[in-house]
């Protein structure tokens, strides 16, 4: 984990869920650092990556977009775009593009202010 995140979290290691939550809800101007670390960790853990891909495959693009919108509100597009930038995996990139397509059709109804 990068030194900046270690300092921010006060820990040397955190779980995938912790990084994911930081990528979604952190008001840091650079939340993509947590997502970058998460994606890098997935690339180094084939078993976890396969489980993530299986979970993503179990839902339609529309369902994933609805989940992203409900979880990340107005930041859903940023989250998915950052994930798209951080991976070279064809399957993940394809799913991210599909989710972005559906997010354009789902209006933001959640908070549009910092979520602390």
């Amino acid at each position: 984990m990068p030194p900046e995140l270690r300092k921010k979290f006060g820990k040397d290691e955190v779980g995938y869920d912790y990084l994911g939550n930081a990528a979604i809800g952190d008001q840091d101007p650079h939340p993509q650092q947590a997502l970058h670390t998460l994606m890098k960790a997935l690339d180094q853990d084939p078993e976890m990556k396969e489980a993530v891909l299986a979970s993503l495959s179990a839902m339609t693009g529309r369902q994933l977009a609805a989940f992203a919108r409900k979880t990340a509100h107005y930041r859903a597009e940023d989250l998915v775009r950052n994930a798209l930038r951080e991976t070279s995996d064809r399957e993940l990139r394809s799913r991210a593009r599909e989710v972005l397509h559906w997010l354009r059709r789902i209006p933001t109804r959640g908070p549009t202010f910092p979520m602390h």
Side-chain angles (χ1 to χ4, degrees):
M1 188 163 57
E4 299 85 12
L5 288 180
R6 277 190 228 136
K7 182 179 176 185
K8 181 179 189 144
F9 299 146
K11 300 177 181 186
D12 288 336
E13 293 183 11
V14 296
Y16 290 106
D17 59 333
Y18 204 94
L19 287 169
N21 287 331
I24 291 169
D26 194 346
Q27 291 304 307
D28 187 307
H30 303 290
Q32 64 268 31
Q33 188 174 34
L35 187 62
H36 171 77
T37 303
L38 176 62
M39 298 300 277
K40 187 175 176 181
L42 282 176
D43 282 341
Q44 296 172 355
D45 186 345
E47 191 174 305
M48 179 59 84
K49 185 175 183 177
E50 195 59 39
V52 168
L53 289 172
S55 294
L56 294 175
S57 295
M59 295 191 285
T60 66
R62 187 176 191 169
Q63 290 169 324
L64 287 169
F67 174 76
R69 179 65 76 209
K70 184 175 182 178
T71 305
H73 306 286
Y74 70 98
R75 297 179 69 186
E77 288 88 352
D78 290 340
L79 176 70
V80 176
R81 278 190 209 105
N82 286 335
L84 183 59
R85 279 188 211 109
E86 292 295 336
T87 186
S88 59
D89 184 277
R90 289 178 125 174
E91 188 174 349
L92 286 174
R93 291 182 62 78
S94 176
R95 291 311 308 263
R97 284 190 293 273
E98 181 184 5
V99 171
L100 281 172
H101 166 79
W102 282 106
L103 278 171
R104 291 183 195 106
R105 298 167 186 251
I106 302 172
T108 301
R109 293 200 174 114
T112 57
F113 50 87
M115 300 179 292
H116 290 6

